[in-house]
Amino acid sequence: MGNIIGIDLGTTTSEVAYIKDGQPVIIGNEKYCDGNIMPSVVTIKKDEIIVGKKAKRQMLIRPEITVSEVKRLMGTNEKIIINEKEYLPQQISAIILKELKEMAEEQIGKVDEAVITVPANFNDIQRAATKEAAQIAGLKVERIINEPTSAAMYYGLENIGKEAKILVYDLGGGTFDCTVLELFSGIMDVKASRGDNLLGGKDFDNRIEEYILEYISKNTEVNIEKLSKKKKSEIKETAEEAKKDLSVSHSTDIIINNLGIDKEGESIDVEFELSRDTFNNLTKDLIERTEVIVGETLLASGITGKDIDIVLLVGGSSRMVAVSDMLKKSFGAKIISSINADEAVALGAAVQAGIKNSKISSESGLIVTDVCSYTLGVAVEENEFSPIIKRDMKLPIVKSEIYVTSSDDQERVNIRVYQGEEKLTDDNMFVGNFVIDGIPKKKAGEEKVEVTFEYDLNGMLDVSVEVLSTGQKKHKLMAVERLNEKDIEDLSKDINIKQKNLTWKDSELYNIVSVSISVAKDKFEKMDSKTLEDVNSIISEMKTAIENKDKDKVTKLDDTLTDILFDID
Ligand code: AMP
């Protein structure tokens, strides 16, 4: 069987993992990642696509051709315009997925399937868009799993013999999820999931960013409306760094230089201290929003806070001190932050992939049950919402309801499918519709149709309808098959401009030697032929050492070169 990888496709960062000797491991590549973590950022130049770490740097210099946080747009029809070309959110996500796939392939050989994670309360259309992104990237989706469930699977694999009631608090870059589950006899039984797709680390950054802008506005003559895109990106970046700093320090310095020129012709700079207390005050309401959701999840799970044995902190933003302070009030010492917050979701996805391709032994016997994150139903008269599958029901699930015609001689019904918790369909989300006709003409209420919803483990919905008197049937996979093969081919063409092969000069190690190489070049003319030959051979050895990432050798060669150059004048 081919390789299957686990992918955490995050708002701000993405990770990929696979199973090695029965254990999940993250695959990183320093070209694209900070550590093992790849920023979910894409820069699209006319003839080149840059992904990850380097694209994140481009965000500062070329914000107009750089895209970040595309996950927030998944499932919408919003177009992203770069160099006058339109891209769908799925295409940008596909670029990220493709890079992760290729990064994995460099280490483990051909990969064609993936388990991809999504926030627990991603709706049907957002899940479908994620699947489409994978298709565009040339990946078959083996499973879509919920992020907190995935993190819990990683924990479950390590603690297979234990029994525990677990709460997963997953605050990522752009989304928040809370899940309550029970681990017993190798089964991870998800009880309930709640969340907010529009709440994450970025919102905390925004608060600091607004604070900085307000400070600039109050304390300098700079018109913040007129700041360049580049300066705004720099402020954004400073805000995020300050936030991370405050997870370990009580205060941090905010420094923004070159905001403009004052009347005396001097550069306008600002520098001030931001304390953790001020940050906590600026973001108190955001933490409280997560607290409310934790309460709702517990309520829906039927497990009380005091019965929770373990709280798993997942997602980079769960490192904020205010998160653990808030959770400590209810859960005290039960909080575990030792599982790697950034990697746990991808590692769990790899566990799921490993179960599928038998790379994890069946004795470890980890079984996961998940639940439906939203209520699903149809519109009936007066646009009322009639639920068929209720929120928190176990997946996979098949449920049917019988409906009757509402007018005399009615020959067709329009099945309109919605998702949500409100009484009226207008207040819920439209998922899709289809029409069945050929119903025998009868009085209102005399003809019956049976509507069946089948909701699978990926959280994808198949709807079928049967006219009971005739046995006529029709079915539709709701959001899944929105793209045909031709669409996918077209969409993948646009993302096919390849990242240029990085040269040795793009490597971080090149920084160590770049000065001595340029000095050497300046002195070429003064060298005798023997020295010139030696110097060229050292430079060529340096190139190889840089490509092999052999830092010791690079440093040694640099010392030798510097000694030679010192003697030439
Ligand atoms: P994830 O998508 O789970 O990787 O989370 C990324 C988010 O975590 C981003 O918003 C980061 O700014 C945030 N993050 C990462 N490290 C820290 C930290 N030490 N303190 C606070 N937030 C962090």
Side-chain angles (χ1 to χ4, degrees):
M1 198 176 286
N3 284 308
I4 311 178
I5 47 178
I7 294 179
D8 172 7
L9 182 61
T11 312
T12 51
T13 62
S14 297
E15 293 83 28
V16 55
Y18 79 114
I19 297 294
K20 186 182 179 190
D21 306 327
Q23 287 301 319
V25 283
I26 292 276
I27 302 171
N29 181 329
E30 67 169 79
K31 269 192 246 169
Y32 312 107
C33 303
D34 290 319
N36 287 325
I37 295 172
M38 188 168 95
S40 307
V41 185
V42 174
T43 302
I44 304 181
K45 294 188 179 171
K46 286 232 160 62
D47 59 349
E48 183 190 11
I49 292 183
I50 303 172
V51 186
K53 183 166 84 173
K54 292 205 166 209
K56 191 170 177 188
R57 264 185 242 141
Q58 292 286 325
M59 204 150 74
L60 291 177
I61 324 164
R62 315 284 304 274
E64 70 288 352
I65 57 163
T66 301
V67 194
S68 62
E69 294 178 46
V70 73
K71 187 169 175 179
R72 288 192 169 194
L73 300 179
M74 289 293 272
T76 69
N77 289 324
E78 208 161 308
K79 301 273 191 332
I80 298 142
I81 301 169
I82 295 177
N83 290 330
E84 290 157 27
K85 212 164 167 176
E86 286 185 351
Y87 294 87
L88 291 171
Q90 292 93 308
Q91 283 177 290
I92 304 293
S93 290
I95 293 172
I96 298 168
L97 288 172
K98 214 164 160 210
E99 204 56 71
L100 293 167
K101 171 179 183 269
E102 285 171 14
M103 218 162 77
E105 284 179 333
E106 268 181 37
Q107 283 199 23
I108 60 171
K110 182 123 184 68
V111 169
D112 37 30
E113 281 184 74
V115 171
I116 301 181
T117 61
V118 294
N121 78 333
F122 244 28
N123 62 42
D124 210 41
I125 291 172
Q126 290 167 309
R127 283 166 199 266
T130 306
K131 242 184 147 173
E132 285 163 8
Q135 285 173 301
I136 298 167
L139 274 170
K140 182 167 175 276
V141 179
E142 156 52 26
R143 270 283 288 277
I144 297 263
I145 51 173
N146 292 335
E147 285 161 10
T149 311
S150 184
M153 278 187 83
Y154 172 55
Y155 175 82
L157 185 74
E158 302 221 307
N159 295 275
I160 197 85
K162 284 196 189 149
E163 285 194 4
K165 294 187 176 69
I166 305 171
L167 183 137
V168 184
Y169 180 101
D170 179 1
L171 188 59
T175 56
F176 173 64
D177 275 329
C178 181
T179 290
V180 170
L181 46 88
E182 226 179 321
L183 172 66
F184 60 94
S185 322
I187 298 175
M188 307 225 50
D189 187 21
V190 177
K191 297 290 185 192
S193 271
R194 295 289 182 273
D196 189 335
N197 285 340
L198 297 175
L199 175 60
K202 279 286 154 191
D203 300 293
F204 292 77
D205 302 347
N206 289 346
R207 295 288 167 87
I208 301 185
E209 193 186 329
E210 285 160 16
Y211 188 76
I212 298 175
L213 289 171
E214 206 179 301
Y215 184 92
I216 295 172
S217 212
K218 272 196 192 142
N219 295 284
T220 71
E221 59 215 65
V222 173
N223 180 350
I224 52 167
E225 304 295 327
K226 294 207 172 127
L227 284 175
S228 66
K229 254 190 155 178
K230 211 164 131 183
K231 217 27 149 202
K232 282 189 186 148
S233 292
E234 187 190 324
I235 294 172
K236 235 183 218 317
E237 175 102 355
T238 307
E240 186 182 0
E241 286 312 313
K243 172 191 74 176
K244 289 189 189 167
D245 229 14
L246 292 173
S247 295
V248 284
S249 316
H250 284 277
S251 72
T252 183
D253 290 328
I254 306 275
I255 303 169
I256 316 273
N257 291 330
N258 302 322
L259 285 157
I261 305 284
D262 67 13
K263 290 188 192 89
E264 282 80 46
E266 300 285 324
S267 149
I268 306 174
D269 309 327
V270 293
E271 182 170 345
F272 63 95
E273 196 182 76
L274 177 68
S275 71
R276 189 189 285 164
D277 285 345
T278 308
F279 171 61
N280 287 349
N281 279 331
L282 292 174
T283 53
K284 196 160 168 265
D285 60 310
L286 301 175
I287 295 287
E288 281 168 1
R289 268 165 68 189
T290 71
E291 191 175 9
V292 169
I293 293 171
V294 169
E296 284 171 6
T297 322
L298 281 167
L299 193 68
S301 72
I303 294 174
T304 62
K306 77 174 184 348
D307 287 332
I308 292 288
D309 302 303
I310 288 161
V311 175
L312 291 182
L313 294 185
V314 179
S317 304
S318 69
R319 293 207 186 91
M320 285 185 294
V321 177
V323 168
S324 36
D325 282 350
M326 179 270 288
L327 291 168
K328 264 185 211 147
K329 284 189 292 178
S330 314
F331 304 104
K334 295 168 181 172
I335 301 169
I336 297 190
S337 46
S338 60
I339 68 163
N340 195 333
D342 295 306
E343 298 177 359
V345 172
L347 290 166
V351 172
Q352 177 67 47
I355 291 171
K356 161 78 202 254
N357 68 357
S358 315
K359 294 235 163 125
I360 287 186
S361 72
S362 49
E363 292 96 73
S364 60
L366 192 65
I367 296 170
V368 185
T369 71
D370 216 323
V371 293
C372 177
S373 311
Y374 283 94
T375 298
L376 290 156
V378 293
V380 291
E381 267 190 319
E382 314 275 332
N383 283 340
E384 261 187 50
F385 180 53
S386 165
I388 295 182
I389 293 179
K390 295 241 173 79
R391 176 145 85 161
D392 299 330
M393 281 179 162
K394 288 252 168 305
L395 297 181
I397 186 168
V398 181
K399 287 271 286 174
S400 299
E401 284 291 332
I402 292 178
Y403 298 91
V404 294
T405 46
S406 60
S407 55
D408 292 346
D409 298 334
Q410 184 176 340
E411 289 177 286
R412 59 205 313 252
V413 283
N414 182 9
I415 306 293
R416 288 178 292 145
V417 179
Y418 286 83
Q419 182 171 41
E421 312 309 316
E422 304 303 325
K423 283 206 163 72
L424 294 178
T425 51
D426 285 350
D427 301 326
N428 290 325
M429 197 196 78
F430 178 66
V431 176
N433 73 312
F434 68 104
V435 171
I436 185 162
D437 39 28
I439 298 172
K441 288 184 181 177
K442 290 270 179 61
K443 283 220 151 51
E446 283 186 2
E447 272 298 321
K448 296 191 184 95
V449 291
E450 185 175 50
V451 180
T452 303
F453 277 20
E454 195 173 337
Y455 205 51
D456 71 8
L457 277 167
N458 295 322
M460 300 276 189
L461 181 65
D462 185 315
V463 177
S464 57
V465 187
E466 180 176 356
V467 181
L468 291 181
S469 65
T470 63
Q472 187 202 346
K473 274 189 191 160
K474 196 168 176 181
H475 94 113
K476 184 176 177 185
L477 273 169
M478 287 325 289
V480 199
E481 288 171 351
R482 302 186 307 169
L483 300 179
N484 58 35
E485 260 178 45
K486 171 89 177 59
D487 294 333
I488 289 172
E489 203 185 304
D490 288 348
L491 291 170
S492 39
K493 250 187 237 145
D494 285 341
I495 65 160
N496 261 346
I497 27 175
K498 188 65 192 121
Q499 187 145 355
K500 269 186 202 153
N501 270 340
L502 294 174
T503 68
W504 63 298
K505 288 188 185 171
D506 294 319
S507 162
E508 305 286 343
L509 283 181
Y510 179 73
N511 292 338
I512 299 177
V513 298
S514 58
V515 175
S516 31
I517 289 180
S518 69
V519 173
K521 284 186 177 160
D522 285 345
K523 293 188 174 183
F524 272 174
E525 284 177 4
K526 295 185 185 166
M527 294 176 198
D528 58 47
S529 60
K530 168 81 178 63
T531 316
L532 188 61
E533 199 178 305
D534 286 350
V535 167
N536 272 327
S537 127
I538 291 173
I539 294 176
S540 142
E541 272 186 72
M542 275 176 168
K543 184 176 161 184
T544 316
I546 288 171
E547 276 164 0
N548 295 337
K549 301 189 187 86
D550 187 343
K551 190 172 175 193
D552 288 346
K553 186 145 191 211
V554 172
T555 317
K556 241 185 230 156
L557 287 164
D558 191 48
D559 288 346
T560 317
L561 181 62
T562 318
D563 286 347
I564 298 176
L565 296 176
F566 192 74
D567 290 338
I568 303 170
D569 217 358

